[in-house]
Amino acid sequence: MKHVPVILLALACAGAVSTLAEATEFRITQKGQQFNPRVLTIKAGDEVVFVNDDTGTHNVFSESAANSFDLKAQRPGASTRVAFPKAGRVDVRCAIHPSMRMTIEVE
Ligand SMILES: [Cu+2]
């Protein structure tokens, strides 16, 4: 009888990748001068990788004091990991393109 490794199946089916520290890693892309997804709910301690899939530079930053960050100039193809240690709503913007907006709810 064949034994299926259940834990591996569970990891393969999850939409996000768990790390050893129990933090979950999410991914937000920037393409066509839009964030995808536009709304994301995560837990305090989780991490988000911001990926620039566009042809131009972006400058992602947080407008919220709860989790403040500024990725500065992020070139096409670059990805940057950000940790979100505190609960609260985080409004994410691009300093170069004011129409780029998204929200991360940190629970
Ligand atoms: Cu931008």
Side-chain angles (χ1 to χ4, degrees), residues 57-59 94 96-97 100:
T57 299
H58 291 298
N59 181 355
C94 173
I96 301 170
H97 309 103
M100 288 177 66

Side-chain angles (χ1 to χ4, degrees), residues 28-30 34-38 60 92-93 100-102:
I28 296 174
T29 60
Q30 305 152 72
Q34 288 192 332
F35 289 110
N36 183 31
R38 304 284 293 275
V60 180
V92 179
R93 305 283 183 258
M100 288 177 66
R101 299 167 161 264
M102 64 95 46

